Amino acid sequence: MLRGLIAGSMVLAGAAFLMDGAAQGGDKKEVTIKLIMQKAHAGKNSLLSKVIKGEASDAEKKQLVEYYTKMEKLVPAKGDEEAWKKTTHILLEAAKGNDAEALKKASNCAGCHSVFKGKKK
């Protein structure tokens, strides 16, 4: 039993150490629109689809709001920055309000990509 407590303590200490490093910049990946799209929208069982379907945990809902909060502050590859801020703000508010229908409508991939994704001309 004592070995189990010691082993458990070591695992918790290691996890705390790793999480502390990530919180202090241990994760050097720059936050980009592409990274947020990969983490929140990619795949059939994406974070976004889980929230829309009502299958997301509270932590996952919170994570989606955090992604959209960061995304709202970024600059799109092309298109008008004010339109970007308006579009991402609508997406953020839908996620914050836990409004699946509004979130589904606001997350129109083709509509957003056609305006903001790609290279500026």
Side-chain angles (χ1 to χ4, degrees), residues 49-98:
S49 66
K50 287 173 78 175
V51 172
I52 289 173
K53 291 177 191 174
E55 299 171 353
S57 67
D58 287 342
E60 289 170 321
K61 291 175 190 175
K62 182 179 176 186
Q63 183 64 59
L64 189 63
V65 168
E66 287 176 17
Y67 285 144
Y68 290 160
T69 300
K70 290 176 183 177
M71 193 166 68
E72 185 180 34
K73 296 173 184 170
L74 298 172
V75 177
K78 70 175 189 178
D80 181 60
E81 286 185 47
E82 286 304 312
W84 169 260
K85 293 202 181 299
K86 181 179 178 182
T87 301
T88 54
H89 185 73
I90 291 169
L91 196 59
L92 174 60
E93 290 303 311
K96 279 182 179 178
N98 199 25

Side-chain angles (χ1 to χ4, degrees), residues 30-43:
E30 179 184 351
V31 176
T32 62
I33 296 168
K34 182 177 182 176
L35 182 65
I36 292 170
M37 290 292 109
Q38 289 171 343
K39 291 186 177 271
H41 292 192

